[in-house]
Amino acid sequence: MLLHADHLTIKFGGLTAVKDLDMQLNKGELVGLIGPNGAGKTTAFNMITGVYAPTQGKVLLEDKDITGKKSPTAPGMRPDQITALGVARTFQNIRLFTNLSVLDNVIIAHHLHLKSSLMGAVLRLPGYRREEKEMREKAIQVLKAVGLEKLYKEEAGNLAYGQQRRLEIARALATNPKLLLLDEPAAGMNPQEGEELMQFIEAIRKDFDLTILMIEHDMKVVMGICERIYVLDHGETIAQGTPNEIQTNSRVIEAYLGVDASA
Amino acid sequence: MKKETKILAIIVTIGTIAFLFFANQFFDGYKIRIMNLAAINIILALGLNIINGFAGQFSLGHAGFMAIGAYTGALLTLSPSAKQMNFFIDPIISPLANFQMGFLPAIIIAALVTAVFAFMIGVPVLRLKGDYLAIASLGFSEIIRVVLTNLQSLTNGSLGLKAIPSYINLFWSWGFAFLAIIFTFFLINSSYGRAFKAIREDEVAAEAMGINLFKHKIMAFVIGSSMAGVGGALFASLLTAIDPNIFKFALTFQILLMVVLGGMGSISGTIVSATIVTIMMEWLRIVESPMTIGSLTIPGISGMRMVIFSVLLMAVILFYPKGFMGTREITWDFIQEKINRLRKKGKNETLQKDEV
């Protein structure tokens, strides 16, 4: 098992945003996380990546505890430490470094593996220069994989919307993750772009040997590529299973369409 | 860097060095003093730009760190007899009393001492963001000043230190300015510099990319502040007399003005604006002297210079919100683009005239 979200519960004041989420991802799986607005999907992502610390429960990555910190001095992992262990993510509202070049956006993701010291970097010692060259080459490779290599000099903020989404995924890939969390990658895309995205996600899963957990509203995308699906509603896990099981699950239909008052 | 830009940088450097030799030979003391001040301001502004412009942590504590550097540099270079003369109320504490060293080691120690204080202040302060960070760092800067005022037997309190050896000359000040420029350039264009910029652009995303926010913020803060320490030590040697009241918030504001005018996140912008602001600070003294326009006589009002700078700052914020350079640098391409635009403008104007 690659990731085990062990009975996660998080409360914000009186509101229980996610209740008793128990999620298990096997290596190489592509799993969907769906649910109506406000169901707690992104909150679940934030707990896995250490942005929030769960009120109860633990997050285990390959049996190692990676639960986030409750406060800066509390025990637990910081988001950057979790990224270093191999969990990368994208964001629902694209969060690129808009004023930096496309290439710099990707190279930054290699910084966590940098061995040279600050002095080594400033004095451009041979060790640093070699590392910088390697980082650059790897970044170009990732950009090639997502088809953005020709735009490497462009400012990230100037890219088209779909390209920005790709760049965000490229940046996450550059951290060299085992687990990739995609938060609504198809948001704002037309059906054809959604189709391309599905193929793209399939391709990177193979090429980079990834396990993927994906939040998505576009049912065509979710049902098309996800092997298993978890459904959240008001913070509770109301269903899990294969796309076919989910499509016929009455509680899921209820959550999405509401209950017929006359029934 | 592009080849043309490299050549441009080398030409500018050689030109500046030639100008320094020329100035050293032929300029009077007043002009040389302004040039020294310009170099010191470049160091200070670059330090603040690393913290505020590149790492995006809005700190207002620069004057405090300058004070630490200035006092360290001054106390280390003052001769034992000068110390005895200065400390006539309370004698100076013993290890420092008979201690004197050269200018260069004094500056290096000033930088290190400032770095230690910056680290101690940075650890609590950098947990804050935005306005809160600005206010807290400003508060610590004032605390440093108050402490310096009250440590009678270490700093001579509000009497200040006088007869500080004036080692500074154009080559010291501009030598350190060159070092600061080169250091900042290599820092910003290294992987660490990219991490700083990522934090400035989006902290959440930077952290998700595996950048340890706290470590890099502290790094930028300590580096920028120790540059303020170097600037402070040079400043003390230039003034030859310092007291805690020099290092008030107005000084931070002056340096911040240079950074904002030049562009938060632009090295070349900072260099140009620090030089221009320093020169204008002196040149604008004419508005503070009494003037006679026709039959109207305006009495000299001291402080009018700062009014002009405030107006300038407002104009820049309104029309160039990112400063004159923004995050760009003056490169060969940048200059060519500007020339092309000017040419086009000229052409358009002649075209319009022809149409009429």
Side-chain angles (χ1 to χ4, degrees):
Chain A
M1 201 187 332
L2 183 77
L3 181 87
H4 185 192
D6 190 4
H7 298 281
L8 296 178
T9 299
I10 186 164
K11 289 178 185 163
F12 297 109
L15 176 84
T16 307
V18 174
K19 194 177 168 191
D20 203 28
L21 171 71
D22 196 65
M23 191 191 295
Q24 301 181 1
L25 303 183
N26 295 316
K27 202 172 178 315
E29 266 190 316
L30 204 169
V31 177
L33 182 61
I34 63 171
N37 288 330
K41 305 179 296 286
T42 300
T43 309
F45 263 34
N46 283 337
M47 281 192 283
I48 295 169
T49 52
V51 177
Y52 297 148
T55 319
Q56 278 160 34
K58 287 189 287 192
V59 184
L60 301 168
L61 182 75
E62 289 176 327
D63 297 326
K64 190 175 159 50
D65 192 344
I66 59 159
T67 314
K69 278 173 185 281
K70 284 199 173 66
S71 73
T73 48
M77 292 251 178
R78 290 191 310 266
D80 60 284
Q81 291 171 317
I82 294 172
T83 306
L85 287 171
V87 180
R89 72 174 293 183
T90 66
F91 295 90
Q92 192 173 356
N93 44 341
I94 302 176
R95 281 176 174 271
L96 290 170
F97 307 122
T98 42
N99 286 321
L100 304 186
S101 74
V102 168
L103 185 65
D104 277 353
N105 264 275
V106 180
I107 294 186
I108 282 164
H110 288 293
H111 182 68
L112 76 136
H113 300 300
L114 190 79
K115 288 183 196 73
S116 297
S117 67
L118 178 70
M119 269 302 129
V122 172
L123 297 174
R124 294 286 190 276
L125 297 181
Y128 173 77
R129 271 191 284 185
R130 198 182 54 241
E131 276 191 293
E132 171 83 25
K133 204 176 152 219
E134 276 171 20
M135 289 198 287
R136 189 166 285 266
E137 278 165 6
K138 277 186 199 159
I140 297 267
Q141 265 174 22
V142 174
L143 283 176
K144 271 186 185 152
V146 301
L148 288 174
E149 76 274 16
K150 285 197 182 107
L151 296 165
Y152 76 100
K153 265 188 176 173
E154 199 67 42
E155 252 181 44
N158 293 344
L159 295 186
Y161 183 80
Q163 291 170 332
Q164 293 198 2
R165 285 256 171 231
R166 271 165 187 261
L167 179 56
E168 223 195 4
I169 295 173
R171 198 178 61 171
L173 288 176
T175 62
N176 203 9
K178 296 168 191 153
L179 173 66
L180 180 62
L181 306 178
L182 300 173
D183 199 344
E184 295 199 28
M189 288 188 173
N190 62 35
Q192 200 218 328
E193 285 171 330
E195 188 77 29
E196 282 171 18
L197 185 82
M198 271 163 63
Q199 288 167 6
F200 172 64
I201 291 172
E202 276 292 353
I204 58 168
R205 175 160 72 134
K206 270 196 204 107
D207 294 346
F208 292 86
D209 196 22
L210 288 172
T211 310
I212 296 177
L213 177 64
M214 179 168 79
I215 295 176
E216 189 47 71
H217 277 300
D218 188 334
M219 283 306 144
K220 231 179 156 182
V221 174
V222 178
M223 297 299 168
I225 57 172
C226 291
E227 288 148 1
R228 283 195 301 130
I229 294 171
Y230 286 85
V231 190
L232 294 186
D233 186 28
H234 297 295
E236 291 189 48
T237 316
I238 57 169
Q240 55 169 304
T242 62
N244 280 333
E245 287 166 13
I246 295 297
Q247 272 169 322
T248 52
N249 186 307
S250 58
R251 283 193 72 187
V252 177
I253 297 166
E254 250 174 51
Y256 270 91
L257 300 176
V259 194
D260 193 346
S262 63
Chain B
M1 219 178 3
K2 241 181 132 184
K3 207 172 150 197
E4 285 92 342
T5 307
K6 255 185 200 166
I7 295 168
L8 188 72
I10 291 167
I11 291 172
V12 171
T13 312
I14 293 172
T16 315
I17 292 170
F19 183 69
L20 286 181
F21 275 100
F22 175 78
N24 201 34
Q25 281 290 331
F26 299 105
F27 278 15
D28 56 30
Y30 177 58
K31 288 198 182 100
I32 286 180
R33 192 183 167 82
I34 294 172
M35 282 179 70
N36 279 328
L37 203 56
I40 293 169
N41 281 333
I42 287 174
I43 300 169
L44 295 169
L46 281 176
L48 194 64
N49 208 350
I50 291 176
I51 306 170
N52 288 14
F54 288 106
Q57 305 304 307
F58 203 81
S59 156
L60 294 177
H62 230 48
F65 296 118
M66 259 183 88
I68 293 174
Y71 269 92
T72 312
L75 285 171
L76 291 176
T77 50
L78 269 171
S79 66
S81 59
K83 275 175 192 162
Q84 219 169 11
M85 185 196 80
N86 267 310
F87 288 78
F88 59 84
I89 293 184
D90 268 342
I92 187 168
I93 47 169
S94 57
L96 273 172
N98 298 311
F99 194 76
Q100 191 187 7
M101 58 165 72
F103 197 36
L104 184 64
I107 289 175
I108 293 169
I109 292 176
L112 294 177
V113 170
T114 315
V116 170
F117 277 96
F119 182 79
M120 290 193 309
I121 292 171
V123 168
V125 164
L126 287 170
R127 297 206 186 276
L128 303 171
K129 280 175 193 165
D131 309 351
Y132 303 100
L133 170 62
I135 290 168
S137 55
L138 174 60
F140 269 106
S141 168
E142 286 295 296
I143 289 170
I144 291 171
R145 197 170 60 80
V146 172
V147 170
L148 288 176
T149 316
N150 288 291
L151 284 178
Q152 190 70 38
S153 56
L154 180 65
T155 63
N156 207 20
S158 53
L159 292 172
L161 298 172
K162 289 172 192 71
I164 301 164
S166 175
Y167 288 114
I168 198 164
N169 58 33
L170 283 179
F171 302 106
W172 275 114
S173 60
W174 281 92
F176 273 103
F178 270 121
L179 265 182
I181 293 165
I182 291 167
F183 175 84
T184 312
F185 178 80
F186 280 117
L187 172 70
I188 290 314
N189 289 300
S190 77
S191 193
Y192 290 92
R194 274 198 298 265
F196 292 168
K197 285 187 251 180
I199 293 172
R200 171 191 73 196
E201 296 283 315
D202 191 326
E203 281 195 12
V204 176
E207 198 170 30
M209 289 301 106
I211 292 167
N212 184 340
L213 293 183
F214 195 57
K215 180 181 149 194
H216 286 87
K217 283 183 191 176
I218 288 276
M219 215 183 248
F221 192 72
V222 169
I223 292 170
S225 301
S226 60
M227 280 167 80
V230 173
L234 292 167
F235 194 56
S237 178
L238 180 71
L239 293 183
T240 68
I242 54 171
D243 68 80
N245 273 339
I246 298 173
F247 304 100
K248 280 188 171 165
F249 174 61
L251 189 59
T252 303
F253 173 76
Q254 215 179 79
I255 301 156
L256 187 68
L257 177 80
M258 295 167 192
V259 174
V260 172
L261 287 183
M264 302 261 262
S266 170
I267 298 173
S268 43
T270 304
I271 297 167
V272 171
S273 80
T275 313
I276 290 175
V277 170
T278 312
I279 294 168
M280 271 173 66
M281 286 271 180
E282 291 303 321
W283 182 67
L284 282 174
R285 279 183 199 280
I286 46 173
V287 302
E288 290 183 4
S289 56
M291 269 183 291
T292 315
I293 304 168
S295 58
L296 196 70
T297 308
I298 307 165
I301 307 164
S302 67
M304 270 305 277
R305 283 180 298 165
M306 290 325 284
V307 175
I308 292 179
F309 277 112
S310 305
V311 172
L312 187 65
L313 187 63
M314 279 191 265
V316 167
I317 297 289
L318 277 176
F319 300 110
Y320 297 89
K322 289 175 164 178
F324 285 113
M325 292 301 297
T327 54
R328 288 168 305 171
E329 296 294 346
I330 301 172
T331 59
W332 182 257
D333 289 344
F334 176 82
I335 293 168
Q336 262 191 336
E337 191 191 311
K338 287 280 158 198
I339 292 171
N340 284 345
R341 200 176 290 171
L342 280 180
R343 269 196 200 144
K344 242 188 204 164
K345 224 182 191 177
K347 259 185 200 164
N348 283 349
E349 271 163 19
T350 48
L351 271 178
Q352 276 170 355
K353 269 180 202 161
D354 289 347
E355 277 167 22
V356 174

